Every structure is written in structure tokens, then in C-alpha cells.
PDB file of all heavy atoms in Angstrom:
ATOM      1  N   ASN A   1       1.804 -12.719  -7.674  1.00  0.00           N
ATOM      2  CA  ASN A   1       1.364 -14.000  -8.203  1.00  0.00           C
ATOM      3  C   ASN A   1       2.448 -14.617  -9.076  1.00  0.00           C
ATOM      4  O   ASN A   1       3.299 -13.919  -9.622  1.00  0.00           O
ATOM      5  CB  ASN A   1       0.076 -13.845  -9.020  1.00  0.00           C
ATOM      6  CG  ASN A   1      -1.120 -13.471  -8.190  1.00  0.00           C
ATOM      7  OD1 ASN A   1      -1.240 -13.868  -7.035  1.00  0.00           O
ATOM      8  ND2 ASN A   1      -2.033 -12.708  -8.791  1.00  0.00           N
ATOM      9  N   SER A   2       2.381 -15.927  -9.232  1.00  0.00           N
ATOM     10  CA  SER A   2       3.308 -16.654 -10.102  1.00  0.00           C
ATOM     11  C   SER A   2       4.752 -16.265  -9.838  1.00  0.00           C
ATOM     12  O   SER A   2       5.517 -15.973 -10.758  1.00  0.00           O
ATOM     13  CB  SER A   2       2.940 -16.404 -11.574  1.00  0.00           C
ATOM     14  OG  SER A   2       1.609 -16.802 -11.850  1.00  0.00           O
ATOM     15  N   VAL A   3       5.139 -16.274  -8.587  1.00  0.00           N
ATOM     16  CA  VAL A   3       6.465 -15.795  -8.211  1.00  0.00           C
ATOM     17  C   VAL A   3       7.545 -16.745  -8.714  1.00  0.00           C
ATOM     18  O   VAL A   3       7.327 -17.954  -8.867  1.00  0.00           O
ATOM     19  CB  VAL A   3       6.589 -15.597  -6.698  1.00  0.00           C
ATOM     20  CG1 VAL A   3       5.604 -14.535  -6.223  1.00  0.00           C
ATOM     21  CG2 VAL A   3       6.376 -16.903  -5.951  1.00  0.00           C
ATOM     22  N   THR A   4       8.709 -16.183  -8.970  1.00  0.00           N
ATOM     23  CA  THR A   4       9.889 -16.935  -9.363  1.00  0.00           C
ATOM     24  C   THR A   4      11.020 -16.637  -8.398  1.00  0.00           C
ATOM     25  O   THR A   4      10.938 -15.722  -7.574  1.00  0.00           O
ATOM     26  CB  THR A   4      10.329 -16.584 -10.792  1.00  0.00           C
ATOM     27  OG1 THR A   4      10.963 -15.302 -10.801  1.00  0.00           O
ATOM     28  CG2 THR A   4       9.143 -16.569 -11.739  1.00  0.00           C
ATOM     29  N   ILE A   5      12.105 -17.392  -8.521  1.00  0.00           N
ATOM     30  CA  ILE A   5      13.246 -17.179  -7.650  1.00  0.00           C
ATOM     31  C   ILE A   5      13.812 -15.766  -7.811  1.00  0.00           C
ATOM     32  O   ILE A   5      14.385 -15.217  -6.863  1.00  0.00           O
ATOM     33  CB  ILE A   5      14.332 -18.242  -7.902  1.00  0.00           C
ATOM     34  CG1 ILE A   5      15.421 -18.173  -6.831  1.00  0.00           C
ATOM     35  CG2 ILE A   5      14.918 -18.091  -9.291  1.00  0.00           C
ATOM     36  CD1 ILE A   5      16.389 -19.333  -6.882  1.00  0.00           C
ATOM     37  N   ASP A   6      13.635 -15.171  -8.974  1.00  0.00           N
ATOM     38  CA  ASP A   6      14.128 -13.814  -9.202  1.00  0.00           C
ATOM     39  C   ASP A   6      13.345 -12.758  -8.431  1.00  0.00           C
ATOM     40  O   ASP A   6      13.770 -11.599  -8.367  1.00  0.00           O
ATOM     41  CB  ASP A   6      14.094 -13.480 -10.696  1.00  0.00           C
ATOM     42  CG  ASP A   6      15.087 -14.282 -11.508  1.00  0.00           C
ATOM     43  OD1 ASP A   6      16.113 -14.711 -10.956  1.00  0.00           O
ATOM     44  OD2 ASP A   6      14.833 -14.475 -12.720  1.00  0.00           O
ATOM     45  N   ASP A   7      12.210 -13.138  -7.864  1.00  0.00           N
ATOM     46  CA  ASP A   7      11.438 -12.208  -7.051  1.00  0.00           C
ATOM     47  C   ASP A   7      11.927 -12.147  -5.614  1.00  0.00           C
ATOM     48  O   ASP A   7      11.402 -11.360  -4.817  1.00  0.00           O
ATOM     49  CB  ASP A   7       9.959 -12.593  -7.072  1.00  0.00           C
ATOM     50  CG  ASP A   7       9.341 -12.465  -8.447  1.00  0.00           C
ATOM     51  OD1 ASP A   7       9.665 -11.495  -9.160  1.00  0.00           O
ATOM     52  OD2 ASP A   7       8.524 -13.338  -8.813  1.00  0.00           O
ATOM     53  N   THR A   8      12.895 -12.958  -5.266  1.00  0.00           N
ATOM     54  CA  THR A   8      13.446 -12.965  -3.917  1.00  0.00           C
ATOM     55  C   THR A   8      14.123 -11.632  -3.603  1.00  0.00           C
ATOM     56  O   THR A   8      14.806 -11.059  -4.450  1.00  0.00           O
ATOM     57  CB  THR A   8      14.449 -14.105  -3.756  1.00  0.00           C
ATOM     58  OG1 THR A   8      13.763 -15.363  -3.840  1.00  0.00           O
ATOM     59  CG2 THR A   8      15.165 -14.037  -2.410  1.00  0.00           C
ATOM     60  N   GLY A   9      13.934 -11.153  -2.391  1.00  0.00           N
ATOM     61  CA  GLY A   9      14.594  -9.942  -1.951  1.00  0.00           C
ATOM     62  C   GLY A   9      13.803  -9.218  -0.885  1.00  0.00           C
ATOM     63  O   GLY A   9      12.710  -9.633  -0.513  1.00  0.00           O
ATOM     64  N   VAL A  10      14.373  -8.141  -0.403  1.00  0.00           N
ATOM     65  CA  VAL A  10      13.698  -7.288   0.565  1.00  0.00           C
ATOM     66  C   VAL A  10      12.861  -6.269  -0.192  1.00  0.00           C
ATOM     67  O   VAL A  10      13.379  -5.539  -1.040  1.00  0.00           O
ATOM     68  CB  VAL A  10      14.699  -6.576   1.490  1.00  0.00           C
ATOM     69  CG1 VAL A  10      13.965  -5.672   2.470  1.00  0.00           C
ATOM     70  CG2 VAL A  10      15.546  -7.595   2.242  1.00  0.00           C
ATOM     71  N   TYR A  11      11.596  -6.213   0.125  1.00  0.00           N
ATOM     72  CA  TYR A  11      10.672  -5.298  -0.537  1.00  0.00           C
ATOM     73  C   TYR A  11      10.398  -4.101   0.357  1.00  0.00           C
ATOM     74  O   TYR A  11      10.085  -4.249   1.539  1.00  0.00           O
ATOM     75  CB  TYR A  11       9.367  -6.017  -0.885  1.00  0.00           C
ATOM     76  CG  TYR A  11       9.501  -6.904  -2.097  1.00  0.00           C
ATOM     77  CD1 TYR A  11      10.266  -8.065  -2.054  1.00  0.00           C
ATOM     78  CD2 TYR A  11       8.870  -6.570  -3.294  1.00  0.00           C
ATOM     79  CE1 TYR A  11      10.410  -8.867  -3.173  1.00  0.00           C
ATOM     80  CE2 TYR A  11       9.007  -7.371  -4.413  1.00  0.00           C
ATOM     81  CZ  TYR A  11       9.778  -8.518  -4.350  1.00  0.00           C
ATOM     82  OH  TYR A  11       9.905  -9.315  -5.464  1.00  0.00           O
ATOM     83  N   TYR A  12      10.511  -2.909  -0.228  1.00  0.00           N
ATOM     84  CA  TYR A  12      10.359  -1.666   0.495  1.00  0.00           C
ATOM     85  C   TYR A  12       9.158  -0.881  -0.011  1.00  0.00           C
ATOM     86  O   TYR A  12       8.965  -0.745  -1.225  1.00  0.00           O
ATOM     87  CB  TYR A  12      11.602  -0.784   0.334  1.00  0.00           C
ATOM     88  CG  TYR A  12      12.879  -1.394   0.845  1.00  0.00           C
ATOM     89  CD1 TYR A  12      13.674  -2.178   0.021  1.00  0.00           C
ATOM     90  CD2 TYR A  12      13.295  -1.182   2.150  1.00  0.00           C
ATOM     91  CE1 TYR A  12      14.848  -2.739   0.485  1.00  0.00           C
ATOM     92  CE2 TYR A  12      14.470  -1.739   2.626  1.00  0.00           C
ATOM     93  CZ  TYR A  12      15.244  -2.514   1.786  1.00  0.00           C
ATOM     94  OH  TYR A  12      16.415  -3.069   2.241  1.00  0.00           O
ATOM     95  N   CYS A  13       8.394  -0.373   0.898  1.00  0.00           N
ATOM     96  CA  CYS A  13       7.338   0.577   0.600  1.00  0.00           C
ATOM     97  C   CYS A  13       7.920   1.987   0.649  1.00  0.00           C
ATOM     98  O   CYS A  13       8.773   2.286   1.492  1.00  0.00           O
ATOM     99  CB  CYS A  13       6.210   0.420   1.619  1.00  0.00           C
ATOM    100  SG  CYS A  13       4.793   1.511   1.392  1.00  0.00           S
ATOM    101  N   ALA A  14       7.476   2.848  -0.256  1.00  0.00           N
ATOM    102  CA  ALA A  14       8.037   4.190  -0.334  1.00  0.00           C
ATOM    103  C   ALA A  14       6.975   5.184  -0.766  1.00  0.00           C
ATOM    104  O   ALA A  14       6.058   4.846  -1.521  1.00  0.00           O
ATOM    105  CB  ALA A  14       9.210   4.226  -1.319  1.00  0.00           C
ATOM    106  N   LEU A  15       7.119   6.416  -0.306  1.00  0.00           N
ATOM    107  CA  LEU A  15       6.218   7.505  -0.666  1.00  0.00           C
ATOM    108  C   LEU A  15       6.970   8.563  -1.455  1.00  0.00           C
ATOM    109  O   LEU A  15       8.122   8.876  -1.150  1.00  0.00           O
ATOM    110  CB  LEU A  15       5.598   8.126   0.584  1.00  0.00           C
ATOM    111  CG  LEU A  15       4.695   7.212   1.418  1.00  0.00           C
ATOM    112  CD1 LEU A  15       4.224   7.937   2.675  1.00  0.00           C
ATOM    113  CD2 LEU A  15       3.500   6.746   0.601  1.00  0.00           C
ATOM    114  N   VAL A  16       6.301   9.114  -2.456  1.00  0.00           N
ATOM    115  CA  VAL A  16       6.878  10.115  -3.334  1.00  0.00           C
ATOM    116  C   VAL A  16       5.945  11.309  -3.408  1.00  0.00           C
ATOM    117  O   VAL A  16       4.750  11.150  -3.690  1.00  0.00           O
ATOM    118  CB  VAL A  16       7.115   9.546  -4.749  1.00  0.00           C
ATOM    119  CG1 VAL A  16       7.640  10.631  -5.680  1.00  0.00           C
ATOM    120  CG2 VAL A  16       8.072   8.370  -4.701  1.00  0.00           C
ATOM    121  N   ASP A  17       6.504  12.491  -3.179  1.00  0.00           N
ATOM    122  CA  ASP A  17       5.733  13.731  -3.303  1.00  0.00           C
ATOM    123  C   ASP A  17       5.792  14.165  -4.755  1.00  0.00           C
ATOM    124  O   ASP A  17       6.534  15.077  -5.128  1.00  0.00           O
ATOM    125  CB  ASP A  17       6.301  14.809  -2.381  1.00  0.00           C
ATOM    126  CG  ASP A  17       5.463  16.070  -2.380  1.00  0.00           C
ATOM    127  OD1 ASP A  17       4.332  16.037  -2.902  1.00  0.00           O
ATOM    128  OD2 ASP A  17       5.934  17.098  -1.860  1.00  0.00           O
ATOM    129  N   GLY A  18       5.014  13.493  -5.573  1.00  0.00           N
ATOM    130  CA  GLY A  18       4.996  13.763  -6.992  1.00  0.00           C
ATOM    131  C   GLY A  18       4.286  12.648  -7.731  1.00  0.00           C
ATOM    132  O   GLY A  18       3.449  11.940  -7.174  1.00  0.00           O
ATOM    133  N   LEU A  19       4.650  12.500  -8.992  1.00  0.00           N
ATOM    134  CA  LEU A  19       4.009  11.507  -9.835  1.00  0.00           C
ATOM    135  C   LEU A  19       4.389  10.092  -9.429  1.00  0.00           C
ATOM    136  O   LEU A  19       5.445   9.866  -8.820  1.00  0.00           O
ATOM    137  CB  LEU A  19       4.389  11.737 -11.297  1.00  0.00           C
ATOM    138  CG  LEU A  19       3.995  13.075 -11.917  1.00  0.00           C
ATOM    139  CD1 LEU A  19       4.543  13.176 -13.332  1.00  0.00           C
ATOM    140  CD2 LEU A  19       2.485  13.246 -11.917  1.00  0.00           C
ATOM    141  N   CYS A  20       3.531   9.154  -9.762  1.00  0.00           N
ATOM    142  CA  CYS A  20       3.836   7.741  -9.625  1.00  0.00           C
ATOM    143  C   CYS A  20       5.194   7.468 -10.260  1.00  0.00           C
ATOM    144  O   CYS A  20       5.414   7.756 -11.437  1.00  0.00           O
ATOM    145  CB  CYS A  20       2.731   6.939 -10.306  1.00  0.00           C
ATOM    146  SG  CYS A  20       2.981   5.170 -10.376  1.00  0.00           S
ATOM    147  N   SER A  21       6.124   6.913  -9.467  1.00  0.00           N
ATOM    148  CA  SER A  21       7.501   6.820  -9.920  1.00  0.00           C
ATOM    149  C   SER A  21       8.162   5.523  -9.477  1.00  0.00           C
ATOM    150  O   SER A  21       7.935   5.040  -8.358  1.00  0.00           O
ATOM    151  CB  SER A  21       8.320   8.001  -9.387  1.00  0.00           C
ATOM    152  OG  SER A  21       9.674   7.897  -9.779  1.00  0.00           O
ATOM    153  N   LEU A  22       8.970   4.967 -10.360  1.00  0.00           N
ATOM    154  CA  LEU A  22       9.808   3.812 -10.059  1.00  0.00           C
ATOM    155  C   LEU A  22      11.268   4.218  -9.885  1.00  0.00           C
ATOM    156  O   LEU A  22      12.148   3.351  -9.883  1.00  0.00           O
ATOM    157  CB  LEU A  22       9.680   2.765 -11.164  1.00  0.00           C
ATOM    158  CG  LEU A  22       8.261   2.235 -11.439  1.00  0.00           C
ATOM    159  CD1 LEU A  22       8.289   1.215 -12.562  1.00  0.00           C
ATOM    160  CD2 LEU A  22       7.654   1.637 -10.182  1.00  0.00           C
ATOM    161  N   ASP A  23      11.526   5.498  -9.738  1.00  0.00           N
ATOM    162  CA  ASP A  23      12.871   6.042  -9.602  1.00  0.00           C
ATOM    163  C   ASP A  23      13.216   6.186  -8.128  1.00  0.00           C
ATOM    164  O   ASP A  23      12.587   6.980  -7.412  1.00  0.00           O
ATOM    165  CB  ASP A  23      12.956   7.389 -10.310  1.00  0.00           C
ATOM    166  CG  ASP A  23      14.354   7.979 -10.331  1.00  0.00           C
ATOM    167  OD1 ASP A  23      15.246   7.473  -9.619  1.00  0.00           O
ATOM    168  OD2 ASP A  23      14.563   8.956 -11.066  1.00  0.00           O
ATOM    169  N   ARG A  24      14.208   5.441  -7.656  1.00  0.00           N
ATOM    170  CA  ARG A  24      14.557   5.475  -6.236  1.00  0.00           C
ATOM    171  C   ARG A  24      15.034   6.843  -5.778  1.00  0.00           C
ATOM    172  O   ARG A  24      14.931   7.165  -4.592  1.00  0.00           O
ATOM    173  CB  ARG A  24      15.613   4.413  -5.923  1.00  0.00           C
ATOM    174  CG  ARG A  24      17.005   4.698  -6.477  1.00  0.00           C
ATOM    175  CD  ARG A  24      17.932   3.520  -6.216  1.00  0.00           C
ATOM    176  NE  ARG A  24      19.323   3.823  -6.489  1.00  0.00           N
ATOM    177  CZ  ARG A  24      19.884   3.754  -7.694  1.00  0.00           C
ATOM    178  NH1 ARG A  24      19.159   3.386  -8.746  1.00  0.00           N
ATOM    179  NH2 ARG A  24      21.174   4.041  -7.851  1.00  0.00           N
ATOM    180  N   PHE A  25      15.564   7.659  -6.701  1.00  0.00           N
ATOM    181  CA  PHE A  25      16.088   8.964  -6.321  1.00  0.00           C
ATOM    182  C   PHE A  25      14.985   9.974  -6.032  1.00  0.00           C
ATOM    183  O   PHE A  25      15.266  11.045  -5.493  1.00  0.00           O
ATOM    184  CB  PHE A  25      17.017   9.505  -7.410  1.00  0.00           C
ATOM    185  CG  PHE A  25      18.264   8.702  -7.579  1.00  0.00           C
ATOM    186  CD1 PHE A  25      18.474   7.960  -8.732  1.00  0.00           C
ATOM    187  CD2 PHE A  25      19.229   8.678  -6.596  1.00  0.00           C
ATOM    188  CE1 PHE A  25      19.623   7.212  -8.897  1.00  0.00           C
ATOM    189  CE2 PHE A  25      20.386   7.930  -6.740  1.00  0.00           C
ATOM    190  CZ  PHE A  25      20.583   7.200  -7.896  1.00  0.00           C
ATOM    191  N   LEU A  26      13.762   9.668  -6.383  1.00  0.00           N
ATOM    192  CA  LEU A  26      12.643  10.551  -6.120  1.00  0.00           C
ATOM    193  C   LEU A  26      11.903  10.210  -4.841  1.00  0.00           C
ATOM    194  O   LEU A  26      10.949  10.901  -4.478  1.00  0.00           O
ATOM    195  CB  LEU A  26      11.665  10.534  -7.300  1.00  0.00           C
ATOM    196  CG  LEU A  26      12.222  11.009  -8.644  1.00  0.00           C
ATOM    197  CD1 LEU A  26      11.141  10.946  -9.713  1.00  0.00           C
ATOM    198  CD2 LEU A  26      12.773  12.423  -8.541  1.00  0.00           C
ATOM    199  N   VAL A  27      12.326   9.170  -4.151  1.00  0.00           N
ATOM    200  CA  VAL A  27      11.632   8.735  -2.952  1.00  0.00           C
ATOM    201  C   VAL A  27      11.850   9.724  -1.815  1.00  0.00           C
ATOM    202  O   VAL A  27      12.983  10.138  -1.543  1.00  0.00           O
ATOM    203  CB  VAL A  27      12.098   7.337  -2.529  1.00  0.00           C
ATOM    204  CG1 VAL A  27      11.551   6.971  -1.154  1.00  0.00           C
ATOM    205  CG2 VAL A  27      11.658   6.312  -3.564  1.00  0.00           C
ATOM    206  N   ASP A  28      10.773  10.087  -1.141  1.00  0.00           N
ATOM    207  CA  ASP A  28      10.844  10.984   0.005  1.00  0.00           C
ATOM    208  C   ASP A  28      10.831  10.243   1.337  1.00  0.00           C
ATOM    209  O   ASP A  28      11.397  10.728   2.322  1.00  0.00           O
ATOM    210  CB  ASP A  28       9.675  11.973  -0.031  1.00  0.00           C
ATOM    211  CG  ASP A  28       9.753  12.915  -1.212  1.00  0.00           C
ATOM    212  OD1 ASP A  28      10.734  13.682  -1.290  1.00  0.00           O
ATOM    213  OD2 ASP A  28       8.837  12.880  -2.059  1.00  0.00           O
ATOM    214  N   HIS A  29      10.194   9.078   1.389  1.00  0.00           N
ATOM    215  CA  HIS A  29      10.085   8.315   2.618  1.00  0.00           C
ATOM    216  C   HIS A  29      10.185   6.829   2.317  1.00  0.00           C
ATOM    217  O   HIS A  29       9.532   6.328   1.399  1.00  0.00           O
ATOM    218  CB  HIS A  29       8.758   8.606   3.331  1.00  0.00           C
ATOM    219  CG  HIS A  29       8.496  10.057   3.563  1.00  0.00           C
ATOM    220  ND1 HIS A  29       9.107  10.764   4.580  1.00  0.00           N
ATOM    221  CD2 HIS A  29       7.708  10.937   2.905  1.00  0.00           C
ATOM    222  CE1 HIS A  29       8.699  12.022   4.539  1.00  0.00           C
ATOM    223  NE2 HIS A  29       7.847  12.157   3.535  1.00  0.00           N
ATOM    224  N   TRP A  30      10.997   6.120   3.103  1.00  0.00           N
ATOM    225  CA  TRP A  30      11.199   4.682   2.963  1.00  0.00           C
ATOM    226  C   TRP A  30      10.688   3.931   4.183  1.00  0.00           C
ATOM    227  O   TRP A  30      10.857   4.385   5.320  1.00  0.00           O
ATOM    228  CB  TRP A  30      12.685   4.346   2.825  1.00  0.00           C
ATOM    229  CG  TRP A  30      13.338   4.785   1.556  1.00  0.00           C
ATOM    230  CD1 TRP A  30      14.109   5.886   1.369  1.00  0.00           C
ATOM    231  CD2 TRP A  30      13.308   4.105   0.291  1.00  0.00           C
ATOM    232  NE1 TRP A  30      14.566   5.939   0.076  1.00  0.00           N
ATOM    233  CE2 TRP A  30      14.086   4.857  -0.613  1.00  0.00           C
ATOM    234  CE3 TRP A  30      12.698   2.931  -0.159  1.00  0.00           C
ATOM    235  CZ2 TRP A  30      14.272   4.477  -1.939  1.00  0.00           C
ATOM    236  CZ3 TRP A  30      12.881   2.552  -1.481  1.00  0.00           C
ATOM    237  CH2 TRP A  30      13.658   3.322  -2.354  1.00  0.00           C
ATOM    238  N   GLY A  31      10.110   2.764   3.941  1.00  0.00           N
ATOM    239  CA  GLY A  31       9.866   1.825   5.011  1.00  0.00           C
ATOM    240  C   GLY A  31      11.114   1.008   5.295  1.00  0.00           C
ATOM    241  O   GLY A  31      12.160   1.173   4.653  1.00  0.00           O
ATOM    242  N   GLN A  32      11.019   0.107   6.264  1.00  0.00           N
ATOM    243  CA  GLN A  32      12.178  -0.670   6.691  1.00  0.00           C
ATOM    244  C   GLN A  32      12.396  -1.929   5.871  1.00  0.00           C
ATOM    245  O   GLN A  32      13.476  -2.525   5.930  1.00  0.00           O
ATOM    246  CB  GLN A  32      12.048  -1.035   8.171  1.00  0.00           C
ATOM    247  CG  GLN A  32      11.220  -2.284   8.480  1.00  0.00           C
ATOM    248  CD  GLN A  32       9.733  -2.122   8.208  1.00  0.00           C
ATOM    249  OE1 GLN A  32       9.229  -0.999   8.110  1.00  0.00           O
ATOM    250  NE2 GLN A  32       9.026  -3.235   8.090  1.00  0.00           N
ATOM    251  N   GLY A  33      11.405  -2.360   5.125  1.00  0.00           N
ATOM    252  CA  GLY A  33      11.524  -3.519   4.271  1.00  0.00           C
ATOM    253  C   GLY A  33      10.984  -4.785   4.891  1.00  0.00           C
ATOM    254  O   GLY A  33      10.955  -4.944   6.113  1.00  0.00           O
ATOM    255  N   THR A  34      10.555  -5.706   4.041  1.00  0.00           N
ATOM    256  CA  THR A  34      10.111  -7.025   4.464  1.00  0.00           C
ATOM    257  C   THR A  34      10.675  -8.058   3.497  1.00  0.00           C
ATOM    258  O   THR A  34      10.678  -7.861   2.285  1.00  0.00           O
ATOM    259  CB  THR A  34       8.568  -7.098   4.538  1.00  0.00           C
ATOM    260  OG1 THR A  34       8.168  -8.359   5.089  1.00  0.00           O
ATOM    261  CG2 THR A  34       7.926  -6.914   3.174  1.00  0.00           C
ATOM    262  N   GLN A  35      11.170  -9.161   4.035  1.00  0.00           N
ATOM    263  CA  GLN A  35      11.886 -10.162   3.247  1.00  0.00           C
ATOM    264  C   GLN A  35      10.928 -11.108   2.549  1.00  0.00           C
ATOM    265  O   GLN A  35      10.030 -11.675   3.173  1.00  0.00           O
ATOM    266  CB  GLN A  35      12.837 -10.962   4.140  1.00  0.00           C
ATOM    267  CG  GLN A  35      13.574 -12.100   3.433  1.00  0.00           C
ATOM    268  CD  GLN A  35      14.622 -11.603   2.462  1.00  0.00           C
ATOM    269  OE1 GLN A  35      15.417 -10.731   2.799  1.00  0.00           O
ATOM    270  NE2 GLN A  35      14.612 -12.151   1.240  1.00  0.00           N
ATOM    271  N   VAL A  36      11.146 -11.292   1.257  1.00  0.00           N
ATOM    272  CA  VAL A  36      10.445 -12.286   0.460  1.00  0.00           C
ATOM    273  C   VAL A  36      11.466 -13.278  -0.066  1.00  0.00           C
ATOM    274  O   VAL A  36      12.447 -12.891  -0.704  1.00  0.00           O
ATOM    275  CB  VAL A  36       9.686 -11.646  -0.713  1.00  0.00           C
ATOM    276  CG1 VAL A  36       9.097 -12.723  -1.627  1.00  0.00           C
ATOM    277  CG2 VAL A  36       8.589 -10.728  -0.202  1.00  0.00           C
ATOM    278  N   THR A  37      11.242 -14.555   0.206  1.00  0.00           N
ATOM    279  CA  THR A  37      12.128 -15.604  -0.265  1.00  0.00           C
ATOM    280  C   THR A  37      11.330 -16.610  -1.077  1.00  0.00           C
ATOM    281  O   THR A  37      10.387 -17.218  -0.561  1.00  0.00           O
ATOM    282  CB  THR A  37      12.822 -16.319   0.903  1.00  0.00           C
ATOM    283  OG1 THR A  37      13.565 -15.380   1.675  1.00  0.00           O
ATOM    284  CG2 THR A  37      13.763 -17.393   0.380  1.00  0.00           C
TER     285      THR A  37
END
């Protein structure tokens, strides 16, 4: 909601075998991404 130009980019879904994490190095599985402009 209330998107700004700074929200532009490719958004990736990811799965982590562990705690809820925003750390890319802990990702076990990546999706291919979807573009938001």
C-alpha cells in the first residue's frame, strides 16, 4: 500500500529453514522474481 518510487524493483519470494528472517544469506530457496514498477 501507499507505494513510492523507492519500492520499484524485482521482488523475490524465499523460504528459510529456520526463524523468520530478512537475511539473504539464510535463504534456502529462491523464486524467480516478479517486477514491480
Side-chain angles (χ1 to χ4, degrees):
N1 292 327
S2 302
V3 298
T4 75
I5 190 170
D6 292 334
D7 295 320
T8 293
V10 179
Y11 283 69
Y12 300 89
C13 181
L15 296 176
V16 176
D17 185 12
L19 299 176
C20 175
S21 178
L22 302 180
D23 185 349
R24 71 185 191 276
F25 294 112
L26 299 180
V27 171
D28 294 298
H29 307 282
W30 291 100
Q32 84 291 341
T34 186
Q35 176 71 47
V36 173
T37 302

